[in-house]
Amino acid sequence: MQFSNVAERREQPPALAVSTVIFSLRDDERTGRKSLWLPLVRRTREPFRGQWALPGGPLGPRDSLFDAAANNLRDTTGLIPRYLEQLYAFGDLDRSPTRRVVSVVYWALVREDDPHDTATSVLLDDSNVAWFRADDPEVLGNLAFDHRQIIEYALWRLRNKVEYGSIAHRLLGERFTLAQVREVYEAVLDKELDPANFRRTLRSTPDIEETDEFLAGGKHRPPRLYRYTGSTTHPLESENIS
Amino acid sequence: MQFSNVAERREQPPALAVSTVIFSLRDDERTGRKSLWLPLVRRTREPFRGQWALPGGPLGPRDSLFDAAANNLRDTTGLIPRYLEQLYAFGDLDRSPTRRVVSVVYWALVREDDPHDTATSVLLDDSNVAWFRADDPEVLGNLAFDHRQIIEYALWRLRNKVEYGSIAHRLLGERFTLAQVREVYEAVLDKELDPANFRRTLRSTPDIEETDEFLAGGKHRPPRLYRYTGSTTHPLESENIS
DNA sequence: CGAATAGTGTCTCTCAGACACTATACT
DNA sequence: AGTATAGTGTCTGAGAGACACTATTCG
């Protein structure tokens, strides 16, 4: 769509876009602990050409908001959503220097070993997609649009949500040890937790069930593997496909 | 804007609207307790002509989302926002039978005695605006669009938020007794609370400060009046003007 | 065996809820 | 005085955190 002049453009209705903040857990070589990472996409057009931005794009007429966010996820990571929830709608007048855009932002949690959609996996080599530490100030400081504030808000929500419960397992595999869950909490909350008390707290929730399997291979007593037997919160707060 | 045929309309970009769920506390003559009420607007055009709907309308090119919600509030109640927060963006394909609409919904808390904007107070006589009990199934069952689900979600959020704290005073005046705060909690949570324990809990929060005044007039010992000395949560979660 | 983590027992402190009790206004 | 609500004191049980201790596997 083209506009003949600035005044006319200004009176166009606001455009609607959907972006997605995608979190995953990776080993941090520097600290040795796990930490949160997220993929960004390099912009190939103005405005902010060459800078990193959240995956996203305009809302197609046949996509629900959720579908659009799921497409963001698929196109940048090749993954199917396991956890995908609406974060916030950002609509300030000056978010974009060129035209008025309202962005509905979702946030996702994925695991490294989630099954890839092979049809789109060719995109994963794309040099215009890269993963960064979610709290790297160098990266956050140079993002396009207001994406820095969006990511910081997503991190805030994640931290609040993880305390509230039942989020951590989304970043893990089907079966997991309680120590792995603790590592997730420690990465997200950025503090150490007492293994004994953490274990007891987790065991007291009905959502986590023990299996008969153990994880061998460490140089210590093999830990038992557990499984998540999910419960739902409010329907809108968990449109996720499990 | 007109469309020559259905196919063309279907490919138009989704329209963007802002609606607002406005809660207030009123005496319920039937139960004698306080309960939650909200204003609705009768639709004067198709679709859903004649049915009740949430106050709202299309997003103007010069309004931020927050401004648009504040305008909804002013136009239906004449009130300035004291608490106004984004609730959710609703974007399913079939929300409206005529065209694709994405609605960003806000929710507001107001007091009966909030100052009115006199310039718009003429609208308050409008027979197309009326207040209803927020949990009246008769009303909820006949709303336009998906507004029933929206209101139920807003109620859910309110209940969760009020437990989390610091919301109740928004429905009250500048100075209030602890029993009034308890009435708010009881109305929102729809259960009775122990006055002694509730009092102790509230006093232990730093956000509520006692004044030197007492509320006379009841046929009992006059209760002390308190004042709220607010704290902020996350900026995005409280864009409210206090 | 020692190292390392898994997993248990137990003490303490804090806080929510139940509820008896005292205080002070009104009629 | 009687009533109604304000406001205090105190007991109990559940849960969070500190931390000592036992269990089991690997090298």
Side-chain angles (χ1 to χ4, degrees):
Chain A
M1 218 183 296
Q2 295 292 330
F3 303 103
S4 54
N5 61 57
V6 170
E8 185 179 343
R9 175 173 63 201
R10 199 164 268 159
E11 294 307 326
Q12 283 297 119
L16 193 48
V18 175
S19 296
T20 306
V21 183
I22 301 163
F23 289 121
S24 185
L25 207 62
R26 298 195 165 189
D27 287 312
D28 186 344
E29 279 134 23
R30 291 181 297 186
T31 67
R33 282 207 301 185
K34 301 268 188 188
S35 61
L36 287 167
W37 293 65
L38 84 174
L40 298 173
V41 177
R42 199 198 306 272
R43 288 190 56 83
T44 58
R45 298 193 309 181
E46 296 295 343
F48 298 105
R49 181 208 288 259
Q51 290 178 246
W52 296 99
L54 291 170
L59 179 65
R62 303 223 184 88
D63 287 330
S64 73
L65 296 171
F66 184 88
D67 291 341
N71 291 343
N72 292 158
L73 183 58
R74 174 171 42 76
D75 294 345
T76 47
T77 67
L79 298 175
I80 303 299
R82 292 175 53 79
Y83 184 84
L84 184 55
E85 176 183 318
Q86 192 177 300
L87 180 68
Y88 200 76
F90 295 82
D92 282 354
L93 295 176
D94 55 355
R95 293 184 60 241
S96 165
T98 49
R99 63 175 304 193
R100 175 79 189 280
V101 180
V102 171
S103 288
V104 179
V105 178
Y106 278 70
W107 63 297
L109 299 179
V110 302
R111 320 191 314 231
E112 282 313 303
D113 61 337
D114 264 342
H116 284 64
D117 179 341
T118 50
T120 59
S121 62
V122 59
L123 289 175
L124 299 181
D125 302 326
D126 195 331
S127 67
N128 289 323
V129 175
W131 289 75
F132 300 91
R133 280 185 55 128
D135 56 357
D136 185 337
E138 187 71 26
V139 175
L140 290 176
N142 291 297
L143 293 176
F145 305 105
D146 53 356
H147 290 186
R148 180 199 182 122
Q149 289 90 287
I150 293 176
I151 291 171
E152 286 173 344
Y153 180 54
L155 279 169
W156 180 85
R157 274 271 284 267
L158 175 60
R159 279 190 250 273
N160 280 90
K161 200 99 181 180
V162 85
E163 296 208 61
Y164 185 41
S166 70
I167 287 294
H169 70 280
R170 306 275 177 180
L171 293 158
L172 297 170
E174 170 72 17
R175 283 151 210 276
F176 45 81
T177 69
L178 298 187
Q180 287 171 332
V181 181
R182 181 167 48 81
E183 283 182 311
V184 175
Y185 274 69
E186 288 179 342
V188 170
L189 300 178
D190 196 29
K191 69 174 176 190
E192 297 200 347
L193 301 169
D194 183 291
N197 295 329
F198 186 84
R199 144 181 226 83
R200 205 180 350 254
T201 305
L202 267 198
R203 293 309 319 274
S204 74
T205 76
D207 294 342
I208 286 180
E209 193 174 70
E210 71 178 34
T211 72
D212 293 334
E213 297 167 69
F214 295 80
L215 180 65
K219 41 183 145 187
H220 51 77
R221 174 176 173 178
R224 187 184 287 275
L225 289 168
Y226 292 79
R227 185 178 349 133
Y228 185 78
T229 58
S231 70
T232 61
T233 57
H234 186 95
L236 283 180
E237 293 284 359
S238 63
E239 296 177 279
N240 57 84
I241 302 157
S242 175
Chain B
M1 214 183 296
Q2 296 292 332
F3 303 104
S4 53
N5 62 54
V6 171
E8 186 179 340
R9 177 173 59 199
R10 200 164 266 159
E11 294 307 327
Q12 283 297 117
L16 192 49
V18 175
S19 296
T20 306
V21 184
I22 301 164
F23 288 121
S24 185
L25 207 62
R26 298 194 166 191
D27 288 312
D28 187 344
E29 279 134 24
R30 292 180 297 187
T31 67
R33 282 206 303 183
K34 301 269 187 186
S35 62
L36 286 168
W37 293 66
L38 84 174
L40 297 173
V41 177
R42 198 199 305 274
R43 288 191 55 85
T44 57
R45 299 193 309 180
E46 296 296 345
F48 299 105
R49 182 210 288 261
Q51 289 178 247
W52 295 100
L54 291 170
L59 179 66
R62 303 224 184 90
D63 287 331
S64 73
L65 297 170
F66 183 87
D67 292 342
N71 292 342
N72 292 337
L73 182 59
R74 174 170 43 74
D75 294 345
T76 47
T77 67
L79 298 176
I80 303 300
R82 293 174 52 79
Y83 184 84
L84 184 56
E85 177 182 317
Q86 191 177 300
L87 180 68
Y88 200 76
F90 295 83
D92 282 355
L93 294 177
D94 54 356
R95 293 184 59 242
S96 166
T98 48
R99 62 176 303 192
R100 174 79 190 281
V101 180
V102 172
S103 288
V104 178
V105 178
Y106 277 70
W107 62 299
L109 299 178
V110 302
R111 322 191 312 232
E112 283 313 303
D113 62 336
D114 264 344
H116 285 64
D117 181 337
T118 50
T120 58
S121 63
V122 60
L123 289 175
L124 300 181
D125 301 325
D126 195 332
S127 68
N128 289 325
V129 175
W131 287 76
F132 300 92
R133 279 185 56 127
D135 57 356
D136 185 338
E138 186 73 25
V139 175
L140 289 176
N142 291 296
L143 292 176
F145 304 105
D146 54 355
H147 289 186
R148 179 197 183 123
Q149 289 88 287
I150 293 176
I151 290 171
E152 286 173 345
Y153 179 55
L155 278 169
W156 180 85
R157 273 272 284 267
L158 175 60
R159 280 189 248 276
N160 279 90
K161 201 97 181 181
V162 84
E163 298 209 61
Y164 185 38
S166 71
I167 287 295
H169 69 282
R170 305 276 177 182
L171 293 159
L172 297 170
E174 170 71 18
R175 284 152 210 276
F176 44 81
T177 69
L178 298 188
Q180 287 172 332
V181 181
R182 181 167 48 81
E183 282 183 310
V184 175
Y185 273 70
E186 288 179 343
V188 170
L189 300 177
D190 196 29
K191 69 174 175 189
E192 296 199 349
L193 301 170
D194 183 290
N197 295 329
F198 185 84
R199 147 179 222 82
R200 211 185 340 261
T201 306
L202 266 199
R203 292 310 318 273
S204 74
T205 75
D207 293 343
I208 286 180
E209 193 175 69
E210 72 177 31
T211 71
D212 294 333
E213 297 167 67
F214 295 81
L215 181 63
K219 42 182 148 192
H220 50 77
R221 173 175 173 178
R224 187 184 287 275
L225 288 169
Y226 291 80
R227 185 181 346 133
Y228 185 76
T229 57
S231 71
T232 61
T233 56
H234 186 96
L236 284 181
E237 294 283 358
S238 63
E239 296 177 278
N240 57 84
I241 302 156
S242 178

